[in-house]
Amino acid sequence: MKQDISFDPIEGVSVAVVLAADKALNAEGQPIWQVYLLNENDFPLENVIVNANGYGQQPDGEKVRTSTLRYLFEEVPPRTAIPVEPLDPSLFHLNNQYWVSYYRGPRIFDKKFIFVPDSIVPDNFSLIPLLDRVGVLHS
């Protein structure tokens, strides 16, 4: 039963959004952003699944929900950052959710990382040492 499952806190795992390294542009000429999964631990993350989706409202009030995309990484080595997906700036007005699940040995861990609307802005930038770049970090 659910009460028999131990839900330990997640430490050392984060999601970051940074400008794409290749400076790619979308159809409107805006820069493309890249989402990364960061493992700042001294141990690997195994069988990692990242569910990505967006939801919220358009500026005209219409509710919108993006497709759910799932990414599987067999292993995320210690102290590494893995690119997950590109993120178009036209989605910044939505909640962008990344639900990360992984194993450490026989134990499963999971956490939702939600970038709320309009949170991916220069005021929220910080240096992300694992990437040696600035962006928005969600821990």
Side-chain angles (χ1 to χ4, degrees), residues 31-85:
I32 298 289
W33 294 70
Q34 181 69 44
V35 178
Y36 283 89
L37 174 65
L38 287 70
N39 178 12
E40 300 182 57
N41 295 300
D42 293 326
F43 53 84
L45 309 178
E46 300 167 344
N47 297 316
V48 180
I49 297 175
V50 179
N51 287 300
N53 66 37
Y55 58 91
Q57 292 185 351
Q58 294 288 22
D60 65 4
E62 178 186 355
K63 289 188 179 191
V64 64
R65 184 169 198 90
T66 66
S67 299
T68 297
L69 301 175
R70 292 174 182 87
Y71 303 94
L72 172 66
F73 304 99
E74 289 185 27
E75 180 178 284
V76 178
R79 305 233 174 261
T80 58
I82 303 290
V84 176
E85 70 174 0

Side-chain angles (χ1 to χ4, degrees), residues 91-139:
L91 301 175
F92 288 177
H93 71 283
L94 300 175
N95 291 292
N96 289 284
Q97 175 178 282
Y98 298 90
W99 190 347
V100 179
S101 300
Y102 64 91
Y103 281 88
R104 179 179 180 202
R107 308 230 21 217
I108 190 167
F109 296 83
D110 72 340
K111 182 175 180 179
K112 287 183 185 178
F113 299 91
I114 301 174
F115 293 89
V116 296
D118 302 315
S119 63
I120 305 171
V121 294
D123 288 347
N124 294 330
F125 285 3
S126 62
L127 178 63
I128 303 167
L130 218 52
L131 295 169
D132 193 30
R133 294 164 56 196
V134 296
V136 179
L137 180 65
H138 196 320
S139 298

